Amino acid sequence: MSFPASFQPLYSLSGFFVGMLVGITGVGGGSLMTPLLVLLFGVHPATAVGTDLLYAAITKTAGTAVHGMHGRVNWKVVGLLASGSVPSALLMLWIMAGVNRESPAVAQAITLTLGCLLFLTSLMLIFRGQILEAIRKWRGERGTLKPRTISLLTFLLGLTLGTLVTLTSVGAGALGVTVLLVLYPRLDVREIVGSDIVHAVPLTLIGGMGYWFIGEINWAMLFALLLGSIPGIVAGSLLAPRLHERLIRIILAVTLMIVAWKLLFP
């Protein structure tokens, strides 16, 4: 893939916007950055995914340090997720390395999967409370799951996330957290979110390095995105306590629905 001849300020502006949303809501990195690069800047889907994966690995490292220092990480959950996600991510990278990524069929497959995931993410953002309540009632009628079953389902969740994140850079945030809340209702929400973020760092790093190996990273674009997103995340984190988080989540969900529609029905 060719690199831009010169620095592009619009990438940094986009990075700042996405970073601010991540700082406010904790969601939106991969969900917005990859489709933004594809739809707004015309970046090839494979290059957008690869660059976004490295972008996510770098920006989430700071979040990992914060959650780790505050003891908000359940390492058993992280280990179970990683035992499924790392092999599936490597398998997906092997598949991507073997196909013709310039072909319209590959680009369409990535775009369609991305659109479906964004639509699911938007539903999770709006209806997470209702979904969790309905599942809790259903679980209550059938009794609690056995620890071995919970471990197996966590492994399968990791397997699914490894595939989806490596293919589209989306899935580890809203979808992963929602399923973990269902599997571990007794864990503190902050511990679930912290564990999800910690798991996402090696997963996105493996994916990003894999895309680098097969030549699908745009380094100039990555630098420009980081230049905007780091101050954006700081600004969003400072603004978050002053904003109505529920309203921001609805706005983000509606935005994701519009983006998903554009990807699925161009």
Side-chain angles (χ1 to χ4, degrees):
M1 294 294 166
S2 61
F3 290 1
S6 58
F7 177 77
Q8 302 238 4
L10 277 179
Y11 287 141
S12 295
L13 188 63
S14 301
F16 182 83
F17 169 71
V18 172
M20 183 172 281
L21 281 174
V22 172
I24 293 170
T25 66
V27 178
S31 301
L32 275 177
M33 187 59 77
T34 298
L36 197 68
L37 293 175
V38 173
L39 292 174
L40 192 61
F41 296 107
V43 177
H44 188 279
T47 304
V49 168
T51 304
D52 185 44
L53 284 170
L54 267 189
Y55 161 84
I58 294 167
T59 54
K60 286 184 178 181
T61 301
T64 296
V66 171
H67 286 285
M69 284 188 296
H70 288 85
R72 292 197 295 254
V73 178
N74 187 307
W75 292 104
K76 181 184 177 183
V77 172
V78 173
L80 286 168
L81 288 171
S83 65
S85 66
V86 171
S88 63
L90 292 173
L91 177 61
M92 182 54 63
L93 286 169
W94 179 74
I95 292 170
M96 289 299 293
V99 299
N100 177 15
R101 294 180 301 280
E102 295 293 337
S103 72
V106 171
Q108 187 179 29
I110 296 173
T111 303
L112 288 176
T113 308
L114 179 59
C116 292
L117 280 175
L118 291 181
F119 185 73
L120 279 175
T121 301
S122 66
L123 291 179
M124 293 295 184
L125 286 171
I126 297 174
F127 300 111
R128 178 186 285 174
Q130 293 90 322
I131 292 169
L132 289 174
E133 187 59 33
I135 292 174
R136 283 193 190 104
K137 287 182 180 178
W138 180 80
R139 283 270 301 272
E141 294 169 1
R142 286 158 178 77
T144 56
L145 294 174
K146 295 179 180 178
R148 184 178 293 180
T149 304
I150 293 173
S151 296
L152 176 60
L153 290 174
T154 307
F155 167 79
L156 292 175
L157 172 62
L159 205 68
T160 305
L161 291 179
T163 303
L164 295 177
V165 170
T166 308
L167 181 62
T168 68
S169 80
V170 177
L175 297 177
V177 167
T178 301
V179 177
L180 287 175
L181 286 170
V182 171
L183 293 176
Y184 300 91
R186 294 181 182 178
L187 285 186
D188 187 276
V189 175
R190 289 172 297 180
E191 194 174 348
I192 292 285
V193 172
S195 302
D196 182 71
I197 290 174
V198 169
H199 165 249
V201 172
L203 175 56
T204 52
L205 184 59
I206 289 169
M209 296 297 283
Y211 275 92
W212 177 18
F213 183 76
I214 62 177
E216 293 291 352
I217 301 292
N218 186 319
W219 292 102
M221 183 168 66
L222 175 63
F223 174 75
L225 291 173
L226 287 170
L227 203 62
S229 67
I230 292 171
I233 289 172
V234 173
S237 300
L238 294 173
L239 275 174
R242 304 179 185 182
L243 298 174
H244 195 291
E245 197 259 357
R246 172 70 177 169
L247 177 62
I248 296 295
R249 279 184 175 269
I250 290 173
I251 293 171
L252 177 59
V254 171
T255 304
L256 291 180
M257 280 190 179
I258 294 170
V259 172
W261 181 267
K262 291 279 188 183
L263 287 169
L264 292 171
F265 306 101

